[in-house]
């Protein structure tokens, strides 16, 4: 069994030189939001959920992106409502959110 | 199938206040080493291996730590030789390195 049941990594990369990057699309703010929400819902901790920032996941052009392991499911999102749906559907109920899948 | 066959996250967290953290144990330097080595071996890219830094994976006391997904295998390491063994055994050959498992 995985140490975390759902380990979530937000690409929070900041590219320079004007290249597309997740952080220009609000990644860090929405990662902070997700982390707080997961904690408030009592979902965080070993055997449960962990939300992390990560360096560049190298899919910035399709992003902002987040990946849920060990499932290996990748999502994109645009706002808090999308993040809420990923939390409620996938992290709480184990159902993949098809409309946000990359 | 997972976008990356092996997605590797190094905890590179820098805690303040003198608390134990992976970065005080050389995490960032060894993450850089791993990333370069994986690239040099031609292992990096979609369908293959990706090495990322991550925020705190919350196992710093047992660390420095690294996790390989989607396998969900956690390792600790002390030097380049340990990182080399994880790359050669796990990332190249798919064999878990039992002696370094957390």
């Amino acid at each position: 069994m995985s140490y975390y049941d759902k380990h979530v990594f937000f690409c929070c990369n900041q590219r320079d030189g004007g290249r597309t990057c997740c952080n220009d699309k609000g990644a860090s703010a929405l990662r902070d939001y997700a982390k707080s929400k997961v904690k408030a819902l009592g979902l965080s901790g070993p055997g449960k959920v962990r939300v992390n920032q990560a360096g560049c996941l190298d899919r910035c052009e399709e992003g902002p992106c987040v990946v849920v392991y060990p499932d290996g499911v990748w999502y994109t999102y645009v706002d808090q409502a999308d993040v809420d749906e990923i939390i409620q559907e996938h992290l709480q109920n184990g159902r993949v959110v098809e409309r946000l899948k990359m």
Side-chain angles (χ1 to χ4, degrees), chain A residues 10-14 22-23 27-29 31 52-57 65 77:
Chain A
F10 279 77
C11 178
C12 289
N13 189 46
Q14 184 67 54
C22 291
N23 220 35
S28 289
R31 175 264 177 187
N52 276 111
Q53 60 171 301
C56 186
L57 304 183
C65 61
Y77 56 89

Side-chain angles (χ1 to χ4, degrees), chain A residues 2-65:
Chain A
S2 193
Y3 185 78
Y4 295 117
D5 183 50
K6 306 286 181 200
H7 202 164
V8 184
F9 295 90
F10 279 77
C11 178
C12 289
N13 189 46
Q14 184 67 54
R15 284 177 170 168
D16 52 17
R19 290 188 303 155
T20 298
C21 72
C22 291
N23 220 35
D24 281 346
K25 302 173 188 170
S28 289
L30 283 165
R31 175 264 177 187
D32 290 346
Y33 173 78
K35 194 171 181 79
S36 298
K37 183 87 181 246
V38 161
K39 193 171 183 181
L41 289 168
L43 299 176
S44 59
K48 298 193 283 183
V49 176
R50 177 83 183 168
V51 176
N52 276 111
Q53 60 171 301
C56 186
L57 304 183
D58 209 22
R59 301 187 75 177
C60 291
E61 286 74 9
E62 311 162 74
C65 61

